[in-house]
Amino acid sequence: MTMITYSRKKTKPIADGTPPETSPAAELIANNVDLLTQILLHIPAKSIIRFKSVSKHWLSLVSDSRFASTHSRLNPRPLISSLYFYYNEKKLESVSLNGSSTAPSLSFLRPLLHRLTGDFTILQSCNGLLLIRDKQIVDRLVKSRYTVCNPTTQRFHVLARHGGRFYEPCFLAFDPSKSPHYKIALLINRFYMDIYSSETACWKKIVLPNGQMDRCYGNGVFWNGALYWLCDQCNVLRFDVETEKIVGIPYAQHSSSSSRILSPDRTRYFGECGRGGRLLLIQSHSHSTVRFNIWEMDEDCCRWNVKLLVDLKTLISEFLEIETLKWYKFTLMCAVEGEKEDDDIALILAIPGKIISCNPQKSSWKVLRDLAPGEYSGFIKDGYTYASVFPFAESLSPV
C-alpha cells in the first residue's frame, strides 16, 4: 500500500500594513444583498462562519435562520470532515479526516453543563447535528434530558421534557434537503415509540406492530428518509419518519451471490457513507478477519449488493504492531467518502498506536492521528472491538 503525506504552504505576509483597495466589482457585490446572498449560499459552511467577522451587515445576513435553512437545503450532504469518538466508552475524542484541525469543541455547551449531574453523552450524529443526552434527578429517579446541537454554529436546543428512563434508545432523523426540521425517535419498549418534532416542539406516542423492535441490534441509522436497524427476524427494519410506518426487509431479498449476509452480531459497520447517500454494511466472521465484503443497499431499499471485496493483508504487513497480533488487529471506526468525490470508499481504522484512513480500492493509506501507548486497548471491550463513532460535517442548519 502507498502512504500519502500532505504539506501546507505558508502564505507570505504583506510587506506593509496598508489594506488593499477594494475593487468596484467587490463593492458592487457587497452592496447588492441579493447577489451577495446567492454567492454566500454556495460557499462551505466553515467559511461562512468566518465571514461573520467581515462586517455587521455580513454578520446579520449569515446569522439569519432563513439563510441558514436555505444554505443547508442547497448543501444537504457536506463532506464528512472529522469524527467524534469515545475512547474507553467515557472519554470523548475527535480526529480530523482532511488534515485540518479536529472537530469543533463542544465547550459551547457549558451553559447547559453547569446544570447537569454528570457528563453528557453523544447518542447520534446526522447531517451536521448531534443528539446529546444528559442525566437529571427527578424524584430520586435518574431521568434523561435530550439536546440537539450544531457544533459549527455552536447553537443548541434543549428538547421539551420527556421524563423517560435514562437508558431508553434514542435516534435522530434529519434531512435538510427535504425539511429544516428534525425528528427524534425514542424507543420506549417493543410496542411503543415516542416521536419528537422540532416543527411542533412536541412529543407524540405511536404504536409499533407485533413488537418488531424486540431483536434489533446497535444504533439506528438514518438514510433516505427513514431509520434503519439490523435485527434477527429480518434483514433490516425500516421506519419511515414521515409516514411513521415500520416495515421489515427480509434476508431472502438480497441479491444472489456466493457471499451471504451474516447475523447482526457479526457486524463491524452499519451506516451511511458519502454525499451520494449510500447505506453500507460491513460484516466479518471474526475480529481477526482481514478479508470481508462491503455491502450496499439498493435505492429501492429491498436488497443488499456486494459493493467491494476488501483485503487488508497488505496493509497489515506494513504495520509490525498489527502483524504480531493474533486477535483484534484493528477496529473499523467508520466508512466515509473518498477524497476525490468519486465512487471510492475510505475506511477509518484504529490500530495499535494510530488511527489511519485506508483506501482499499487504491491500496493507499495515511495516518490521521497517533494514539498513546496502550490507548488502543480502549477500543476493545468484553472481547469485541468497540467504537462509538459520530461523523461530523460542517452545516449551518438551525436547531
Side-chain angles (χ1 to χ4, degrees):
M1 283 198 170
T2 305
M3 178 180 178
I4 302 175
T5 58
Y6 296 88
S7 62
R8 296 183 184 178
K9 294 183 179 180
K10 295 184 178 180
T11 57
K12 295 182 179 180
I14 300 174
D16 56 28
T18 305
E21 294 184 0
T22 304
S23 68
E27 286 188 3
L28 175 64
I29 293 173
N31 294 326
N32 187 321
V33 176
D34 293 336
L35 180 57
L36 178 60
T37 300
Q38 290 303 313
I39 293 174
L40 293 178
L41 285 173
H42 294 85
I43 293 178
K46 188 174 183 180
S47 299
I48 293 292
I49 296 300
R50 296 195 189 104
F51 291 162
K52 286 185 175 183
S53 60
V54 171
S55 68
K56 291 183 179 180
H57 172 56
W58 284 41
L59 173 62
S60 175
L61 175 62
V62 301
S63 299
D64 186 85
S65 61
R66 291 169 297 180
F67 175 87
S69 296
T70 303
H71 186 280
S72 299
R73 177 173 54 82
L74 296 176
N75 305 274
R77 292 187 177 88
L79 191 65
I80 294 172
S81 60
S82 52
L83 307 175
Y84 293 102
F85 67 93
Y86 280 100
Y87 165 74
N88 252 345
E89 294 190 90
K90 296 180 180 179
K91 185 179 179 182
L92 181 63
E93 299 277 0
S94 65
V95 57
S96 171
L97 304 185
N98 54 23
S100 61
S101 59
T102 56
S105 168
L106 301 182
S107 60
F108 67 92
L109 292 172
R110 285 173 183 166
L112 173 70
L113 295 178
H114 83 274
R115 301 192 296 269
L116 305 189
T117 58
D119 292 335
F120 66 84
T121 301
I122 299 177
L123 299 180
Q124 203 166 24
S125 63
C126 188
N127 291 319
L129 302 185
L130 298 181
L131 173 62
I132 289 174
R133 176 175 62 195
D134 66 74
K135 298 178 183 178
Q136 286 187 310
I137 306 299
V138 179
D139 297 330
R140 298 183 180 182
L141 297 176
V142 179
K143 300 288 186 177
S144 294
R145 180 172 62 176
Y146 299 99
T147 300
V148 174
C149 73
N150 184 330
T152 304
T153 61
Q154 300 192 355
R155 300 291 182 89
F156 65 87
H157 175 70
V158 180
L159 274 60
R161 179 172 295 182
H162 179 271
R165 293 173 297 176
F166 184 66
Y167 293 105
E168 290 169 339
C170 196
F171 312 98
L172 174 62
F174 176 55
D175 185 352
S177 68
K178 296 181 179 179
S179 170
H181 305 289
Y182 55 84
K183 289 188 176 182
I184 307 294
L186 180 65
L187 186 60
I188 304 301
N189 53 43
R190 59 185 295 196
F191 299 107
Y192 297 101
M193 179 184 291
D194 284 359
I195 303 294
Y196 175 88
S197 169
S198 65
E199 184 175 14
T200 62
C202 295
W203 293 90
K204 71 174 181 178
K205 189 180 297 292
I206 64 171
V207 178
L208 301 175
N210 304 321
Q212 287 180 300
M213 297 293 298
D214 193 36
R215 297 300 302 274
C216 289
Y217 287 76
N219 290 328
V221 175
F222 180 71
W223 175 71
N224 201 21
L227 286 164
Y228 291 79
W229 293 270
L230 297 175
C231 62
D232 275 351
Q233 292 100 330
C234 53
N235 188 195
V236 292
L237 279 180
R238 181 180 188 272
F239 176 74
D240 190 301
V241 295
E242 292 301 321
T243 63
E244 298 176 352
K245 302 296 184 182
I246 190 167
V247 296
I249 304 173
Y251 279 106
Q253 289 186 340
H254 67 72
S255 61
S256 59
S257 170
S258 57
S259 301
R260 288 292 181 267
I261 299 292
L262 305 177
S263 60
D265 61 322
R266 302 296 182 182
T267 300
R268 306 197 71 172
Y269 178 75
F270 176 55
E272 187 181 13
C273 172
R275 286 177 287 187
R278 295 173 288 187
L279 184 63
L280 301 183
L281 173 67
I282 302 176
Q283 298 179 311
S284 63
H285 288 280
S286 74
H287 288 281
S288 61
T289 302
V290 296
R291 297 181 77 252
F292 50 83
N293 289 323
I294 297 180
W295 298 81
E296 179 178 2
M297 177 68 80
D298 273 357
E299 290 185 3
D300 57 5
C301 309
C302 69
R303 65 183 63 83
W304 291 105
N305 295 305
V306 176
K307 170 128 183 110
L308 183 66
L309 173 61
V310 176
D311 189 343
L312 297 179
K313 186 176 181 180
T314 303
L315 172 68
I316 298 300
S317 66
E318 297 191 27
F319 292 92
L320 181 61
E321 57 268 46
I322 308 179
E323 197 172 19
T324 56
L325 293 177
K326 183 177 181 181
W327 306 103
Y328 316 123
K329 296 179 182 292
F330 62 91
T331 293
L332 178 53
M333 298 179 66
C334 191
V336 300
E337 188 176 51
E339 293 178 340
K340 300 301 182 182
E341 302 183 20
D342 51 18
D343 206 34
D344 284 356
I345 294 174
L347 303 179
I348 311 303
L349 310 177
I351 64 175
K354 296 177 179 64
I355 294 178
I356 66 174
S357 174
C358 168
N359 188 318
Q361 300 98 314
K362 298 179 179 178
S363 298
S364 63
W365 58 271
K366 65 176 180 178
V367 176
L368 299 178
R369 64 166 281 180
D370 293 326
L371 296 175
E375 273 194 330
Y376 179 67
S377 62
F379 289 94
I380 301 173
K381 175 192 174 187
D382 299 332
Y384 295 93
T385 52
Y386 159 91
S388 290
V389 180
F390 309 95
F392 169 73
E394 284 86 4
S395 167
L396 297 183
S397 297
V399 294

